[in-house]
Amino acid sequence: MTPTVPLFLLLLGLIGAQATFDQRMAAAMAAGLCKARPTDLVFIVDSSRSVRPSEFEQVKVFLTNVINGLNVGPNATRVGVVNYASRVKNEVSMKTHRTKIALVKAVSKIEPLSTGTMTGSAIQFALNVAFSEAEGARAKSPDVSKVAIIVTDGRPQDNVKDVAQRARDAGIEIFAIGVGRVDLTTLRQMASEPLDDHVDYVESYSVIEKLTKKFQEAFCDTVSDLCATGDHDCQQVCISTPGSYKCACKDGFTLNNDGRTCSAPCGNAAIDAVFVIDGSKSVRPENFELVKKWINQIIDKLEVSEKNAHVGLVQYSSTVKTEFPLGQYNNKKALKEAVKKMDYMERGTMTGLALHHTADNVFNIAQGARPGVQKVAIVFTDGRSQDYIGDAAKKAKNLGLEMYAVGVGNALESELKQIASEPIGDHYFYTADFKAMSEIAKKLQINKCEDPCECDSLVKFQKKVEDALQALNKKYILYGD
């Protein structure tokens, strides 16, 4: 029997605002920090036969949530709603409802049309009618934004490319939201540039309301005190500047070259971190590229070197593959290039198998793990596991691994919580779509200690304990009990 003793576990912190985005945005609006530009906004909503009545109700919830985050009024944001299938119907006119209460009530009464999918006709109708002065829109002016948000789940039965271009040429900014089996090429043809900011995809209508925060942010284009709202990524101290902010450090700490994080004279404690990445077919190739960018965004925050942070990468689907082990790359450039070269597996979702592989094979000395160094696993998934994860997650945590769980789209929060270490609320994240992952990367900082000197002392102590245990084990092996 190998003797064991409790070992010190170093702190893997999540630095950043603890309030949710919605709470920060509400606080900003209440404090008058959010200076939204006057906007004429039209929702263009697909209610074709492929959209079930229950799903259309979820779309209405999404519209309601966005409206509740707006500054609605004749001199602020005016809202219209266009409903379409094979025909197009002007459900809410900008001239009719000028308060949130009236708008929300009108949205609640909209019924699906349940026929075909004439998206091009709907955009043309919005351009000719919904955005007309006769329907309450304001005259074209650099002081007033014109915005259309299109929600669709299918392939249009008419042309959208040309009519969307005419709408954009008329000064309308178009956001395209696709659901389920939507045609992604069509979304890109409709949306404004840059496409990364204007095209969104969700797996199902059940999660569409989680895009609300993006559009609340889109209509809050100037925040005069980002430090006050907590919408910054400073590790220690945030200092407000007009329309922006700068970071600083506490006494005795030095601001690093990234302008955000701080270090003390004793330097950084070592850490072994492994990304465990879902490469199942539901992720889709374009989103898998976003996942790789997300990994590299976190790597940018690490002090990668032979003495400090070592990073490994595991990809899984129906099988599990160690893309590269801990310590193979000891500088950020080589590490990030290796991440970019990772090929997409595109099969099933065996998260339990991946957790077993990580616990059994990845964090051992033969694979580059270091004695006396904190072990961290960051698990990413976009869906329900096809195997049982409970035993594997428990085993990983019992081995002393600090487990972080990140879910996107159809990921189950119950599974994320099973994977995450205690306190669970600090160790799991969920977002509705892949483009919002960058916000998670901002918060997910692998931070060793408030005081790196203290961290170094703990690591040295832990290393001495492990050395003593190894010597004791050798004695038992050579001489017996």
Side-chain angles (χ1 to χ4, degrees):
M1 177 74 72
T2 301
T4 60
V5 297
L7 301 177
F8 283 97
L9 297 180
L10 309 181
L11 176 65
L12 175 69
L14 295 175
I15 305 302
Q18 296 302 306
T20 64
F21 178 94
D22 293 332
Q23 289 169 329
R24 296 201 308 271
M25 189 58 66
M29 294 290 284
L33 301 174
C34 188
K35 300 178 180 178
R37 196 177 173 194
T39 301
D40 289 346
L41 168 64
V42 174
F43 293 96
I44 304 174
V45 181
D46 178 358
S47 68
S48 57
R49 65 175 64 92
S50 61
V51 184
R52 297 172 182 174
S54 61
E55 293 173 333
F56 193 70
E57 290 302 312
Q58 290 166 332
V59 175
K60 292 196 290 184
V61 170
F62 166 66
L63 266 59
T64 298
N65 288 343
V66 175
I67 290 168
N68 281 331
L70 300 176
N71 182 16
V72 175
N75 299 317
T77 300
R78 301 181 185 181
V79 178
V81 181
V82 171
N83 183 15
Y84 78 94
S86 294
R87 63 188 180 93
V88 184
K89 184 178 180 183
N90 200 27
E91 298 281 4
V92 177
S93 170
M94 289 190 212
K95 69 181 180 182
T96 307
H97 304 292
R98 298 295 181 90
T99 66
K100 289 184 188 181
I101 294 175
L103 278 170
V104 169
K105 187 175 181 180
V107 167
S108 70
K109 294 180 179 179
I110 299 175
E111 296 293 333
L113 301 174
S114 300
T115 49
T117 310
M118 303 295 284
T119 310
S121 295
I123 298 172
Q124 187 67 60
F125 180 90
L127 178 60
N128 294 344
V129 179
F131 280 105
S132 69
E133 291 183 50
E135 290 299 316
R138 285 160 281 199
K140 188 174 181 179
S141 164
D143 298 325
V144 178
S145 298
K146 306 284 186 180
V147 178
I149 300 176
I150 302 171
V151 182
T152 181
D153 80 330
R155 185 184 298 271
Q157 296 168 334
D158 57 356
N159 181 272
V160 299
K161 185 177 180 180
D162 295 337
V163 68
Q165 185 61 57
R166 289 195 294 272
R168 295 193 299 268
D169 290 344
I172 299 172
E173 182 180 11
I174 300 178
F175 292 87
I177 300 174
V179 183
R181 297 189 178 185
V182 70
D183 179 51
L184 295 176
T185 300
T186 300
L187 295 181
R188 296 188 182 99
Q189 289 176 344
M190 293 189 292
S192 297
E193 295 283 353
L195 294 179
D196 281 350
D197 294 337
H198 291 84
V199 176
D200 288 283
Y201 171 80
V202 292
E203 294 284 345
S204 67
Y205 283 101
S206 64
V207 295
I208 191 172
E209 76 277 3
K210 297 195 178 184
L211 289 177
T212 302
K213 60 184 180 182
K214 168 182 175 171
F215 292 99
Q216 286 180 332
E217 183 179 35
F219 295 108
C220 181
D221 58 4
T222 303
V223 178
S224 59
D225 190 346
L226 294 170
C227 294
T229 63
D231 199 14
H232 63 84
D233 57 0
C234 296
Q235 182 183 19
Q236 292 188 355
V237 179
C238 179
I239 300 172
S240 294
T241 60
S244 186
Y245 65 92
K246 62 181 181 180
C247 300
C249 299
K250 298 175 183 177
D251 290 344
F253 289 78
T254 303
L255 189 66
N256 293 324
N257 291 335
D258 61 11
R260 296 176 283 104
T261 61
C262 303
S263 62
C266 290
N268 293 289
I271 189 168
D272 285 347
V274 173
F275 291 90
V276 184
I277 301 301
D278 181 353
S280 60
K281 59 187 174 185
S282 61
V283 174
R284 299 192 178 194
E286 63 271 22
N287 288 331
F288 194 70
E289 292 303 311
L290 293 178
V291 174
K292 291 195 281 188
K293 289 180 181 179
W294 174 75
I295 294 170
N296 282 340
Q297 191 178 353
I298 297 174
I299 288 173
D300 276 332
K301 297 174 178 290
L302 302 177
E303 292 294 329
V304 178
S305 69
E306 187 173 349
K307 293 183 178 180
N308 293 319
H310 285 192
V311 177
L313 178 60
V314 171
Q315 184 188 174
Y316 72 94
S317 58
S318 298
T319 59
V320 186
K321 179 184 177 183
T322 298
E323 298 286 349
F324 52 81
L326 288 161
Q328 180 170 334
Y329 304 104
N330 286 326
N331 65 80
K332 288 185 183 180
K333 182 177 180 181
L335 193 57
K336 291 169 72 176
E337 283 300 317
V339 172
K340 290 178 183 177
K341 292 177 182 177
M342 176 172 54
D343 292 325
Y344 176 35
M345 286 183 170
E346 201 171 359
R347 284 178 284 175
T349 310
M350 303 293 282
T351 310
L353 185 66
L355 294 176
H356 275 297
H357 175 83
T358 301
D360 295 338
N361 304 315
V362 178
F363 286 102
N364 60 52
I365 295 174
Q367 291 297 312
R370 295 167 290 177
V373 172
Q374 173 66 6
K375 309 296 191 294
V376 175
I378 302 169
V379 182
F380 163 82
T381 182
D382 86 320
R384 180 194 298 269
S385 178
Q386 294 171 339
D387 60 352
Y388 182 61
I389 67 168
D391 291 342
K394 184 177 179 180
K395 180 179 182 180
K397 287 180 279 191
N398 286 343
L399 289 172
L401 304 185
E402 188 97 9
M403 303 293 291
Y404 279 77
V406 178
V408 177
N410 286 333
L412 295 181
E413 293 193 55
S414 59
E415 289 189 353
L416 298 178
K417 290 176 181 179
Q418 272 190 292
I419 295 169
S421 293
E422 295 285 352
I424 291 174
D426 292 341
H427 287 82
Y428 90 98
F429 295 88
Y430 174 81
T431 184
D433 70 310
F434 284 83
K435 294 184 182 65
M437 290 177 66
S438 59
E439 294 302 315
I440 292 176
K442 289 179 182 178
K443 296 178 183 179
L444 184 64
Q445 284 197 350
I446 300 178
N447 227 25
K448 277 63 66 182
C449 281
E450 285 288 330
D451 182 357
C453 301
E454 179 184 352
C455 274
D456 288 348
S457 298
L458 288 173
V459 169
K460 288 174 183 176
F461 177 81
Q462 184 171 344
K463 181 64 167 62
K464 287 180 180 179
V465 172
E466 291 192 356
D467 288 345
L469 287 174
Q470 288 180 7
L472 189 60
N473 285 337
K474 288 179 181 178
K475 180 181 177 182
Y476 284 160
I477 293 170
L478 290 174
Y479 302 111
D481 193 352

